[in-house]
Amino acid sequence: MYSTLRYTLESTGTTYENDSINASLLVDLITNLELQEYVVLEPSELVEGSMYMQAAALEEPGQMVAEIRLKEGEDGFRHYSFSTTDTTGIIQWFLDYWGKKQLPQLESWQDITHELD
């Protein structure tokens, strides 16, 4: 199913290509996010309908946000967000997205598509 899937990882201006991405890099980048910094993991083809997953640090100390964008129709998308202090949970979502080609359970995520239109 994903025989040619490759990932690009961007973190605050630095881009890592597929062969440079590993679990320890993801853990390190997400664990050390500071305000105004971000991590975006983008597959070369849709993973379960998703275009990318991203994480960023928020203003409140220890607070982070994870977001995911799902393709909808020809040109549309749905954008979901989850704010948390659980860095370990965000790391696990990224590891599953990258390693298992699996999305998090989005039922508890907030649909913020309307904020981006």
Side-chain angles (χ1 to χ4, degrees):
M1 184 163 147
Y2 294 111
S3 60
T4 60
L5 182 66
R6 299 181 63 74
Y7 284 93
T8 302
L9 177 66
E10 185 181 339
S11 179
T12 317
T14 302
T15 302
Y16 303 88
E17 293 304 327
N18 194 67
D19 297 339
S20 302
I21 301 169
N22 59 46
S24 62
L25 176 64
L26 286 168
V27 169
D28 188 48
L29 291 175
I30 294 167
T31 301
N32 294 303
L33 280 175
E34 294 185 14
L35 191 59
Q36 305 299 320
E37 294 183 339
Y38 60 88
V39 173
V40 180
L41 186 58
E42 185 176 352
S44 59
E45 56 187 276
L46 299 178
V47 170
E48 293 188 4
S50 70
M51 302 160 77
Y52 62 83
M53 181 182 286
Q54 63 188 20
L58 297 176
E59 284 187 31
E60 191 175 316
Q63 193 76 17
M64 295 180 69
V65 64
E67 295 182 353
I68 195 161
R69 183 169 288 191
L70 304 178
K71 185 167 177 49
E72 186 174 80
E74 281 298 307
D75 301 318
F77 65 85
R78 305 294 310 165
H79 198 94
Y80 295 90
S81 176
F82 191 94
S83 296
T84 183
T85 56
D86 182 11
T87 306
T88 306
I90 290 179
I91 288 169
Q92 191 59 57
W93 291 333
F94 270 79
L95 291 174
D96 288 347
Y97 189 69
W98 169 72
K100 297 179 181 176
K101 283 92 176 140
Q102 208 173 52
L103 300 188
Q105 297 297 316
L106 298 176
E107 292 84 19
S108 58
W109 291 47
Q110 183 178 4
D111 184 340
I112 62 167
T113 306
H114 64 281
E115 297 176 16
L116 305 171
D117 290 338

